[in-house]
Amino acid sequence: MARKKIEITPENKCSFCQDSKCCTYVTQAIETPRAKAEFEHLLWQISHRDVEVYKDEDGWFLMFNTPCLHLRPDGGCGIYEARPTICREHSNDFCEYDEPAEKGFDLYFPDYDTLLTYCRKRFKSWDKAKNRGK
């Protein structure tokens, strides 16, 4: 006997999401880094636990991987009826359930080493400036 196929709609999509990915991080837009000093600052920021950096079609962002305090173990929202406006306005028409956000990143730096490698390629004299005083 064939199983009845369940249609996934915006109304029921979140109930199929296993990781509740959209509720496990916060992003903050940042100015486009151009100078070495700005990249040094990013290296300091990404040196902190659960901080990543990415660039997509909307610009540069810091991403803080930290789950919402109201996220229940079953993936539901513990304050659903009183949730903030930003949560109410969030659209799941096309979300991380459909495709990982990372797929849309132009640049992605999950850790210090990947950003440092990028800095060394972008600024050919990156290490020379560091060693002048030694």
Side-chain angles (χ1 to χ4, degrees):
M1 182 180 277
R3 286 185 166 207
K4 182 180 174 185
K5 186 172 179 176
I6 298 172
E7 181 183 356
I8 297 177
T9 66
E11 291 76 27
N12 70 8
K13 184 190 260 184
C14 293
S15 66
F16 290 95
C17 185
Q18 298 295 308
D19 298 327
S20 303
K21 182 71 174 162
C22 65
C23 299
T24 62
Y25 65 90
V26 176
T27 61
Q28 180 65 52
I30 59 174
E31 297 263 337
T32 299
R34 290 185 170 82
K36 283 184 179 182
E38 293 165 327
F39 280 97
E40 281 281 346
H41 192 81
L42 278 179
L43 282 167
W44 168 73
Q45 289 172 309
I46 204 169
S47 292
H48 291 80
R49 183 176 299 130
D50 301 324
V51 176
E52 299 177 357
V53 177
Y54 70 91
K55 178 193 174 296
D56 67 11
E57 64 185 17
D58 296 322
W60 285 76
F61 294 85
L62 285 175
M63 182 164 51
F64 304 93
N65 292 302
T66 180
C68 176
L69 295 174
H70 306 291
L71 186 61
R72 296 187 323 228
D74 68 358
C77 178
I79 60 166
Y80 187 80
E81 294 303 320
R83 69 195 185 282
T85 302
I86 193 168
C87 300
R88 291 177 185 277
E89 293 176 349
H90 174 72
S91 169
N92 68 359
D93 290 341
F94 188 79
C95 62
E96 281 118 337
Y97 177 82
D98 302 296
E99 184 174 276
E102 292 86 358
K103 202 164 182 186
F105 294 168
D106 299 326
L107 297 171
Y108 176 50
F109 308 104
D111 55 41
Y112 180 91
D113 290 334
T114 55
L115 181 56
L116 181 60
T117 298
Y118 176 82
C119 291
R120 286 177 169 149
K121 286 180 184 173
R122 181 179 172 121
F123 301 98
K124 299 299 181 203
S125 63
W126 182 268
D127 290 316
K128 291 178 188 171
K130 303 279 181 244
N131 294 326
R132 261 190 226 143
K134 292 182 181 179

